[in-house]
Amino acid sequence: MNVTLRKMQSSALNINKFKAIYEESFPIEERREWGNLKLLLEGTNEFFNAYAILRDTMFIGFITSWVFPDAIYIEHFATDPAMRGGGFGSEALKQLVESTSLPIVLEVEPAESGETARRRIDFYRRHGFRDLPDYKYIQPPYSPGLPSVPMTLMVHGDLDPEVARKLLYKHVYEVE
């Protein structure tokens, strides 16, 4: 399997494919307004990174992350629905984890949300993440008019969940 994780370039093809996968993979309350995300993809924030997941040279998914001095936050991670189950996401996540010594944090729907949430949590567990179900975490709304969303934090490495929450609220969601 020839999968590479490469810093994303703002080519029209990748941006269009990125948008299609993004909008299909995440419910509206768990995603940024497209114009806001497009600005981030164009490099408007020093902490934000987007990686293309490539199978050979074909764009099949992405990982967006925020790289802070003490931790990395994976904001969105998705592969083309037609490519899911082929190990491509696993390989991309493995490459990201192996590329850093920093702890990594991400948000997932709580296990009680349903089978998809449980499968997602199991996926991250298989890659060395641990979930923190006893830590009550709420994802702030991405845009006015959208609801806050109860989530579960998952961590790879050693990171205090309260430190992670403060970091995300301040830099990612811009709330205190």
Side-chain angles (χ1 to χ4, degrees), residues 104-106 108 121 125 129-137 151-157 159-162 164:
I104 303 171
V105 64
L106 53 85
V108 294
I121 289 168
R125 283 179 180 157
F129 286 78
R130 69 185 190 290
D131 50 317
L132 308 170
D134 295 332
Y135 180 77
K136 298 304 175 204
Y137 177 80
M151 298 290 248
T152 297
L153 290 181
M154 294 192 76
V155 176
H156 188 283
L159 182 62
D160 180 285
E162 186 59 17

Side-chain angles (χ1 to χ4, degrees), residues 10 35-49 66 174:
S10 295
N36 178 289
L37 180 56
K38 195 162 185 255
L39 287 173
L40 288 170
L41 291 169
E42 292 168 358
T44 60
N45 188 295
E46 65 182 305
F47 298 117
F48 184 85
N49 287 305
W66 296 73
E174 298 177 347

Side-chain angles (χ1 to χ4, degrees), residues 46-61:
E46 65 182 305
F47 298 117
F48 184 85
N49 287 305
Y51 297 93
I53 301 170
L54 303 172
R55 178 181 185 198
D56 299 316
T57 59
M58 185 173 68
F59 180 84
I60 62 166

Side-chain angles (χ1 to χ4, degrees), residues 2-162:
N2 189 11
V3 175
T4 52
L5 193 62
R6 185 177 305 148
K7 264 211 162 165
M8 194 160 156
Q9 305 299 313
S10 295
S11 71
L13 176 65
N14 284 0
I15 290 295
N16 292 336
K17 182 77 169 180
F18 180 106
K19 183 178 182 186
I21 294 171
Y22 182 71
E23 290 180 350
E24 185 170 346
S25 300
F26 299 98
I28 194 165
E29 64 272 6
E30 293 179 25
R31 64 180 193 238
R32 294 180 175 281
E33 185 273 326
W34 178 247
N36 178 289
L37 180 56
K38 195 162 185 255
L39 287 173
L40 288 170
L41 291 169
E42 292 168 358
T44 60
N45 188 295
E46 65 182 305
F47 298 117
F48 184 85
N49 287 305
Y51 297 93
I53 301 170
L54 303 172
R55 178 181 185 198
D56 299 316
T57 59
M58 185 173 68
F59 180 84
I60 62 166
F62 60 85
I63 298 175
T64 62
S65 67
W66 296 73
V67 181
F68 302 110
D70 298 322
I72 295 174
Y73 165 59
I74 295 176
E75 184 172 23
H76 291 102
F77 171 27
T79 55
D80 184 323
M83 305 301 281
R84 291 182 187 155
F88 306 115
S90 288
E91 181 58 30
L93 183 59
K94 177 182 168 203
Q95 289 177 31
L96 181 66
V97 167
E98 290 176 353
S99 73
T100 185
S101 60
L102 293 173
I104 303 171
V105 64
L106 53 85
E107 304 159 330
V108 294
E109 295 90 354
E112 59 271 11
S113 299
E115 184 58 31
T116 300
R118 287 189 288 279
R119 281 197 321 267
R120 191 170 290 127
I121 289 168
D122 288 343
F123 170 83
Y124 287 115
R125 283 179 180 157
R126 287 193 305 274
H127 291 88
F129 286 78
R130 69 185 190 290
D131 50 317
L132 308 170
D134 295 332
Y135 180 77
K136 298 304 175 204
Y137 177 80
I138 303 291
Q139 174 191 305
Y142 272 111
S143 302
L146 292 179
S148 297
V149 182
M151 298 290 248
T152 297
L153 290 181
M154 294 192 76
V155 176
H156 188 283
D158 187 28
L159 182 62
D160 180 285
E162 186 59 17

